[in-house]
Amino acid sequence: MITYLSCLTSHCGIGRYTEELAKAMHEDAIPVQLFRKNAGDHAFVTPYEHRSFRSLKHLVAPYYLNKAISQTESPVWHADHPDAFMGLLYAKKGSKAAKKVVTVHDAIPLLFNYSSWWEKTRLRYHLRAVAKRSDIIVTISEQSKKDL
C-alpha cells in the first residue's frame, strides 16, 4: 500500500500530478490511497475537511491533513509537497519501518524576491524537516535538484 498525501486539490498542477501518479499505480494493481482536499472520480481518493486561510494556508493545511490520516497506517507515505510532509510529521506517522517519500517541485520562493520573509522562513523550515526525516526526496527536474 502506498498512501499519497496532498494539501492541494485536483485543480492545480501538483494535485493533478499526484492523482495521475496514484492512478498509474492503481492501474498496475498496486494498492494506493490518496488523501487530499477534494473528492475525485477514483475510489482511492479520500477527501478531508479543511478550511483555507489565505496567508496561513501552508500552516493550516498540514493540520487538517494530520487529522485525516491519524487513524491510517501505511508502509509507504508519499507527500506531494513539503507542506503535506509536515502533516505526516504532525500526525506522528511513518514509523522507522515505514518509508517516507516527498516530491519537491521547485525552490523558486527561496530564489526570487517575490516571496515574503515569512514565506521563505516557513519553506526553509519545512525543507529542513523534509531533509532530516524523509527516506527519499524526489525532484521534478535537474534544475530543482540543483536549486535545493
Side-chain angles (χ1 to χ4, degrees), residues 30-68:
I30 298 170
V32 297
Q33 184 173 18
L34 167 59
F35 285 91
R36 72 164 179 221
K37 290 181 179 179
N38 65 326
D41 299 332
H42 307 288
F44 58 79
V45 176
T46 304
Y48 59 89
E49 290 187 33
H50 69 285
R51 295 186 68 197
S52 184
F53 301 95
R54 292 222 182 248
S55 61
L56 298 175
K57 68 181 177 184
H58 297 293
L59 296 174
V60 174
Y63 167 77
Y64 285 104
L65 177 58
N66 133 36
K67 286 177 59 174

Side-chain angles (χ1 to χ4, degrees), residues 7-86:
C7 288
L8 304 165
T9 68
S10 61
H11 307 297
C12 67
I14 295 172
R16 285 194 303 272
Y17 156 84
T18 306
E19 183 175 341
E20 290 299 316
L21 186 59
K23 181 179 166 189
M25 296 285 194
H26 181 72
E27 289 171 354
D28 283 344
I30 298 170
V32 297
Q33 184 173 18
L34 167 59
F35 285 91
R36 72 164 179 221
K37 290 181 179 179
N38 65 326
D41 299 332
H42 307 288
F44 58 79
V45 176
T46 304
Y48 59 89
E49 290 187 33
H50 69 285
R51 295 186 68 197
S52 184
F53 301 95
R54 292 222 182 248
S55 61
L56 298 175
K57 68 181 177 184
H58 297 293
L59 296 174
V60 174
Y63 167 77
Y64 285 104
L65 177 58
N66 133 36
K67 286 177 59 174
I69 66 173
S70 65
Q71 301 301 313
T72 304
E73 292 298 331
S74 181
V76 178
W77 298 90
H78 185 164
D80 69 357
H81 191 276
D83 293 347
F85 190 80
M86 295 307 292

Side-chain angles (χ1 to χ4, degrees), residues 42-147:
H42 307 288
F44 58 79
V45 176
T46 304
Y48 59 89
E49 290 187 33
H50 69 285
R51 295 186 68 197
S52 184
F53 301 95
R54 292 222 182 248
S55 61
L56 298 175
K57 68 181 177 184
H58 297 293
L59 296 174
V60 174
Y63 167 77
Y64 285 104
L65 177 58
N66 133 36
K67 286 177 59 174
I69 66 173
S70 65
Q71 301 301 313
T72 304
E73 292 298 331
S74 181
V76 178
W77 298 90
H78 185 164
D80 69 357
H81 191 276
D83 293 347
F85 190 80
M86 295 307 292
L88 177 65
L89 295 182
Y90 295 160
K92 295 182 174 65
K93 292 294 179 179
S95 67
K96 290 187 179 186
K99 296 296 179 196
K100 295 171 283 304
V101 179
V102 67
T103 299
V104 178
H105 294 267
D106 62 45
I108 288 174
L110 296 176
L111 301 174
F112 299 100
N113 286 327
Y114 76 86
S115 299
S116 68
W117 69 269
W118 165 247
E119 183 70 16
K120 287 181 181 182
T121 302
R122 180 206 53 82
L123 184 58
R124 278 190 194 100
Y125 173 78
H126 285 190
L127 288 173
R128 282 188 191 113
V130 164
K132 287 180 184 176
R133 296 189 177 112
S134 64
D135 295 302
I136 299 170
I137 300 172
V138 177
T139 60
I140 61 165
S141 69
E142 283 299 317
Q143 187 60 50
S144 292
K145 182 178 175 180
K146 289 177 188 175
D147 291 344

